[in-house]
Amino acid sequence: QVQLVESGGGLVQAGGSLRLSCIASGITFTAATMDWHRQAPGMPRELVATIGSDGITGYANSVKDRSTISRDTAKNTLYLQMNNLKPEDAGVYFCRARGRSIYGRDYEYWGQGTSVTIAS
């Protein structure tokens, strides 16, 4: 059974920092592409950052230079460090895993999300 469990959200002051975590189980973590997405109230879900199995990263322009996505393969954990938080960073942050199984089937799994509120 695949599980992606996010944590680290909460209430943060504008200008502050936070680190989100996503613990993955039931997948071959080292082979998966891992993403962070966020969804603000009334808005579509958007991709924030991604990291491939090769470690190559990508960021949305809105968070570039303020964020770092990383993965710890020993802990099967994905991280998102965000600095200089802005009110528009508020939302529910979701972890996603995608890749191809050993049986050759593409997969995509989502976590339940962790909520981030920015106090201005």
Side-chain angles (χ1 to χ4, degrees):
Q1 182 180 358
V2 176
Q3 279 193 311
L4 300 175
V5 181
E6 301 97 333
S7 63
L11 176 64
V12 185
Q13 290 287 328
S17 300
L18 58 70
R19 187 176 80 157
L20 304 179
S21 301
C22 171
I23 300 175
S25 59
I27 60 170
T28 302
F29 185 71
T30 53
T33 295
M34 302 296 297
D35 312 318
W36 284 101
H37 297 245
R38 70 184 175 199
Q39 187 166 22
M43 300 295 287
R45 194 172 297 187
E46 62 173 348
L47 176 67
V48 175
T50 184
I51 182 167
S53 57
D54 54 6
I56 294 178
T57 59
Y59 299 90
N61 287 335
S62 60
V63 304
K64 197 175 181 181
D65 299 328
R66 298 189 293 122
S67 301
T68 302
I69 187 172
S70 61
R71 63 200 298 169
D72 185 334
T73 55
K75 296 180 180 180
N76 277 15
T77 302
L78 175 73
Y79 300 102
L80 180 66
Q81 175 72 40
M82 296 188 71
N83 303 316
N84 190 22
L85 287 162
K86 303 177 180 181
E88 53 264 39
D89 292 321
V92 179
Y93 282 71
F94 298 90
C95 169
R96 179 180 72 167
R98 53 193 172 94
R100 180 161 291 178
S101 75
I102 60 173
Y103 305 105
R105 294 180 180 174
D106 292 339
Y107 65 81
E108 178 184 77
Y109 299 107
W110 292 87
Q112 293 300 304
T114 185
S115 182
V116 174
T117 303
I118 309 296
S120 56

